[in-house]
Amino acid sequence: QVQLVESGGGLVQAGGSLSLSCTASVRTADFDEMAWYRQAPGFPRDLVASITRTDSTIYADSVKGRFTISRDNSKNTLYLQMTNLKPDDTAVYYCHGMTKQLKVWHYWGQGTQVTVSS
């Protein structure tokens, strides 16, 4: 079965930086799309950034210019580099992968906590 494991979360001050990693038990090159989502208390789970097989990217307006999503297929790892962090970035960040064969498959990591203090 497919496993996605996030790491790199922690506590940082506003204006600081963090880098998150998501390591897959399968080839990340085989995902049609990978993404980072986040969920803060009282809010729905929102898309932060996504990347396709062809490296097209989409970012939420709230993180444009501050976050960068990338993938290293040789390491089967997805990354999210976060800079100029704000308290509103505080959330559990989830790694997501999607594949399409005979049907659509969605895979989720367990999440990693990011807390930004003011």
Side-chain angles (χ1 to χ4, degrees), residues 24-41:
S25 62
V26 297
R27 286 164 24 96
T28 54
D30 290 338
F31 286 107
D32 291 289
E33 180 179 297
M34 298 195 76
W36 289 96
Y37 287 75
R38 68 185 181 186
Q39 186 167 24

Side-chain angles (χ1 to χ4, degrees), residues 13-109:
Q13 292 186 330
S17 300
L18 275 179
S19 293
L20 306 182
S21 298
C22 169
T23 300
S25 62
V26 297
R27 286 164 24 96
T28 54
D30 290 338
F31 286 107
D32 291 289
E33 180 179 297
M34 298 195 76
W36 289 96
Y37 287 75
R38 68 185 181 186
Q39 186 167 24
F43 292 86
R45 186 174 296 184
D46 290 332
L47 176 69
V48 176
S50 65
I51 184 167
T52 69
R53 289 172 62 103
T54 58
D55 291 329
S56 296
T57 58
I58 295 174
Y59 293 92
D61 288 341
S62 60
V63 307
K64 286 181 179 177
R66 300 189 297 120
F67 291 11
T68 302
I69 188 171
S70 62
R71 178 186 56 228
D72 186 342
N73 289 333
S74 70
K75 299 179 179 179
N76 294 322
T77 301
L78 180 74
Y79 300 98
L80 184 68
Q81 290 94 13
M82 305 183 293
T83 63
N84 192 24
L85 284 161
K86 303 175 180 179
D88 285 348
D89 295 320
T90 295
V92 177
Y93 284 71
Y94 296 92
C95 180
H96 174 263
M98 187 270 286
T99 62
K100 295 174 63 177
Q101 288 92 33
L102 296 179
K103 61 180 179 181
V104 177
W105 297 81
H106 294 274
Y107 305 96
W108 293 93

